[in-house]
Amino acid sequence: NAGVMQNPRHLVRRRGQEARLRCSPMKGHSHVYWYRQLPEEGLKFMVYLQKENIIDESGMPKERFSAEFPKEGPSILRIQQVVRGDSAAYFCASSHFRTSGSYEQYFGPGTRLTVT
Amino acid sequence: ELKVEQNPLFLSMQEGKNYTIYCNYSTTSDRLYWYRQDPGKSLESLFVLLSNGAVKQEGRLMASLDTKARLSTLHITAAVHDLSATYFCAVDGISSNTDKLIFGTGTRLQVFP
């Protein structure tokens, strides 16, 4: 059973460009979370999605950031007009249904975004 | 606003010694997690603590949870170099709508000979 997959693993963008980060959850998982980790800091929650729905986006910056989890395909975190402050590691996690009693989130390897 | 604090932030310890990392959180939570992160890597799940008084052990690491005190501890016994990493605690269960994790600041552990 493959784990959570993220790509690309490393992404370099110039200021003003767009960054697209992809996350494929573990097989059978329908909940996806995105977290951001700035250098030397802990992870900060960004957004929680289920298929075709954004459940909680309280951690997302109001501008330039968006996320989706379509019926088919991976979840996408999109950052428009990137700035140097967006440089960070972006982690995706997935989990099963809450009602199944399984709460644990499984983390992907992360995408390290560098804005030059 | 929920806050999760860890201490110490940095820990340098000699092989063979024991030490405890503390994780305090500010609001009632149903579940607490401990993760390990090596430099440039993702998070590795160590423990999931689901109830007051829960204690789990794996090798040289033991985690406990006191929900009344809003405190979890990660105890290291007879440290070895391979335990050098950053350790994070995280809590969730704050909201009925989301299981988002709130992470602590992390404890960077370095074990030297």
Side-chain angles (χ1 to χ4, degrees):
Chain A
N1 187 9
V4 178
M5 299 174 67
Q6 290 187 249
N7 68 81
R9 297 288 301 275
H10 299 273
L11 182 61
V12 180
R13 285 287 179 264
R14 292 194 180 128
R15 280 181 297 170
Q17 292 185 318
E18 179 179 289
R20 282 189 178 228
L21 288 61
R22 295 174 184 78
C23 169
S24 297
M26 285 181 69
K27 186 177 181 180
H29 285 188
S30 58
H31 298 214
V32 166
Y33 305 79
W34 286 93
Y35 296 86
R36 176 166 65 176
Q37 185 178 32
L38 295 172
E40 308 300 325
E41 294 188 11
L43 278 72
K44 297 288 195 295
F45 168 79
M46 298 182 74
V47 62
Y48 163 42
L49 310 103
Q50 296 177 18
K51 285 285 187 180
E52 301 183 280
N53 285 302
I54 297 175
I55 307 301
D56 182 351
E57 56 181 346
S58 58
M60 285 276 273
K62 298 301 181 187
E63 298 179 350
R64 302 188 297 109
F65 284 72
S66 62
E68 62 177 8
F69 189 15
K71 185 177 181 180
E72 301 291 339
S75 175
I76 307 286
L77 179 67
R78 182 184 178 201
I79 311 172
Q80 296 178 290
Q81 300 175 332
V82 296
V83 300
R84 287 216 172 103
D86 297 333
S87 295
Y90 292 82
F91 290 97
C92 168
S94 73
S95 69
H96 210 315
F97 290 118
R98 294 174 72 239
T99 53
S100 72
S102 174
Y103 306 102
E104 191 165 1
Q105 294 179 24
Y106 296 85
F107 283 82
T111 294
R112 280 153 183 84
L113 172 65
T114 301
V115 179
T116 62
Chain B
E1 180 186 342
L2 172 65
K3 291 186 178 179
V4 181
E5 295 183 345
Q6 286 181 240
N7 69 84
L9 297 183
F10 299 97
L11 178 56
S12 181
M13 57 190 298
Q14 194 172 18
E15 282 188 329
K17 298 293 186 182
N18 304 332
Y19 208 85
T20 300
I21 299 171
Y22 297 89
C23 174
N24 292 89
Y25 51 98
S26 59
T27 305
T28 301
S29 174
D30 296 337
R31 299 176 289 275
L32 190 134
Y33 305 80
W34 283 97
Y35 292 93
R36 168 183 172 145
Q37 186 179 37
D38 291 292
K41 303 294 185 182
S42 187
L43 277 73
E44 174 190 352
S45 177
L46 296 175
F47 300 105
V48 181
L49 302 171
L50 300 178
S51 61
N52 186 42
V55 177
K56 291 193 175 181
Q57 182 164 5
E58 182 72 34
R60 301 174 187 273
L61 300 177
M62 183 175 70
S64 65
L65 178 62
D66 181 344
T67 57
K68 293 180 181 178
R70 298 175 186 168
L71 170 69
S72 179
T73 61
L74 180 65
H75 187 72
I76 303 160
T77 302
V80 294
H81 179 72
D82 285 351
L83 289 179
S84 298
T86 299
Y87 293 84
F88 291 98
C89 64
V91 299
D92 74 355
I94 302 303
S95 165
S96 60
N97 296 325
T98 177
D99 293 323
K100 66 183 180 186
L101 295 176
I102 308 298
F103 282 82
T105 46
T107 297
R108 184 181 295 179
L109 171 65
Q110 183 178 15
V111 181
F112 59 93

